Amino acid sequence: MKIRIDKLLSNLGYGTRSEVHKYIKNGYVLINGEILKDQGFRVDTETDIVVFDDEIVEYQEYFYFMLNKPAGYISAVQGQEPVVMDLIEEKIKGLFPCGRLDKDTTGLLLITNDGPLTHQLLSPRYEVEKEYEVNTRDLIDQDQIRRIEQGITMADGTRYRPAKITGIEGNLCNIVVTEGQYHEVKNMFLAVGNEVVHLKRIRMKDLILDDSLQEGEYRPLTEEEIHSLKTYWKAGHPAE
Ligand code: URA
C-alpha cells in the first residue's frame, strides 16, 4: 500500500499533520536511511523502512485493544461525560469502541479501528456470542430461566432471541446472548420480574476478558486473539 508520509505518521498517533510536517522539516524522519525532505513523499508500506526519532515505525492498518471497562464511562469516542476513549492513551486515528456497554456495565470492550470486523461482530446475522456475569436483585428461579431461554417479547413488541443461562447461584448467573440490542440483558430480567443490579461482560465470540486487567486497564490483543475473532462465522464467511 502507498500512503503519504504525513498521513501515515498522523494515523499512527505521531502527531497532527502539521506537527508531522515540523518533525520532517527538523530531520526526525528517515526513509530507507535517508533524511526525508519531501513532505508529500508516498511511503510504500511493504518495502520502505521508515524511522522516526531513531525508532523504526511499525506500519499497521488495524489496531485492537481489550479494555476492562469500569462503570461510569459511556461507550463512545467523545461526549459531555467521561467516555471509554478517555482511558486509551494511544492517539491512533479512528479508534472506537466495538459496540456499546451501558454506562454502569463493566468488563470486556474491544477498542479498534477495524470497521469491517466491527460490523461483523455486531451484526445480529452472525450470532456472535456475548457472555455476561449477572447479579440480580432477587433470587433467580427456574421460571425466570425458562422464560429467558425461550426468548422474551416485551410489552412494546421488542423481541429478544433465546439466551442461554448457566452457573446459577442465588442472585448470580452467566448469560449468553447473540444480539446486541440496547439494554437487552437488563430488559430480559425486568420482563420476568427480576432486576439486574450489576452486569459484567466477560466474553465476546472467543475473546475472553483477561482477568489480570483491572477495571480501566487495557492491553493489545495477541495475534491468536485477533485471528480467532476473524475466523468462523456462524452464518458463513462474510466478505473479507
Ligand atoms: N445488556 C444490557 O442490558 N446492558 C449492557 O450493557 C449490555 C447488554
Side-chain angles (χ1 to χ4, degrees):
M1 180 176 110
K2 281 207 160 192
I3 179 169
R4 269 182 67 116
I5 183 70
D6 50 357
K7 185 158 196 276
L8 177 118
L9 291 175
S10 75
N11 284 356
L12 292 174
Y14 285 86
T16 60
R17 291 266 193 119
S18 60
E19 283 165 348
V20 168
H21 289 162
K22 276 190 208 137
Y23 294 135
I24 294 174
K25 204 165 147 219
N26 292 327
Y28 279 80
V29 180
L30 274 66
I31 306 283
N32 303 322
E34 303 272 328
I35 292 182
L36 180 69
K37 302 257 161 47
D38 174 9
Q39 304 271 2
F41 182 81
R42 286 169 69 78
V43 180
D44 184 330
T45 54
E46 256 122 73
T47 55
D48 288 331
I49 304 213
V50 180
V51 168
F52 181 90
D53 199 14
D54 296 337
E55 282 197 14
I56 290 190
V57 173
E58 300 289 350
Y59 174 72
Q60 229 179 297
E61 187 174 11
Y62 292 133
F63 293 82
Y64 308 88
F65 299 98
M66 170 192 296
L67 169 70
N68 184 357
K69 178 191 172 296
Y73 285 78
I74 310 271
S75 300
V77 174
Q78 56 188 25
Q80 304 291 325
E81 298 180 80
V83 294
V84 289
M85 294 310 297
D86 297 342
L87 299 163
I88 308 294
E89 279 174 19
E90 283 77 0
K91 294 303 163 216
I92 298 158
K93 211 166 169 184
L95 286 180
F96 53 82
C98 170
R100 259 188 298 171
L101 293 178
D102 294 338
K103 188 175 172 187
D104 57 355
T105 299
T106 61
L108 175 64
L109 190 59
L110 175 66
I111 308 289
T112 183
N113 57 346
D114 186 340
L117 178 68
T118 297
H119 175 73
Q120 290 159 7
L121 289 170
L122 300 183
S123 164
R125 181 172 160 227
Y126 298 113
E127 299 183 28
V128 172
E129 289 191 346
K130 275 132 310 201
E131 181 165 357
Y132 296 85
E133 287 176 358
V134 186
N135 191 342
T136 54
R137 183 195 58 207
D138 303 324
L139 292 180
I140 301 162
D141 64 32
Q142 285 306 319
D143 181 56
Q144 294 169 18
I145 297 165
R146 184 185 53 77
R147 289 165 64 195
I148 290 176
E149 290 199 329
Q150 275 174 358
I152 297 276
T153 303
M154 306 291 289
D156 67 0
T158 308
R159 295 165 81 110
Y160 297 111
R161 283 182 188 154
K164 186 83 201 110
I165 295 186
T166 56
I168 304 125
E169 266 180 56
N171 299 49
L172 305 175
C173 72
N174 280 22
I175 186 168
V176 178
V177 296
T178 58
E179 295 175 283
Q181 296 196 65
Y182 188 57
H183 288 340
E184 62 179 325
V185 175
K186 290 177 184 165
N187 284 346
M188 287 180 199
F189 278 90
L190 279 180
V192 299
N194 204 337
E195 191 184 336
V196 172
V197 293
H198 184 235
L199 195 57
K200 175 181 182 183
R201 182 153 68 189
I202 55 165
R203 180 171 67 85
M204 185 177 198
K205 203 162 181 255
D206 304 322
L207 186 65
I208 296 170
L209 178 64
D210 183 336
D211 58 16
S212 71
L213 289 176
Q214 302 296 310
E215 285 183 10
E217 290 183 344
Y218 66 96
R219 66 154 173 82
L221 295 196
T222 63
E223 287 297 320
E224 295 75 45
E225 286 169 335
I226 296 168
H227 181 74
S228 66
L229 272 185
K230 291 185 173 179
T231 48
Y232 174 67
W233 296 88
K234 186 156 184 172
H237 288 271
E240 289 292 311

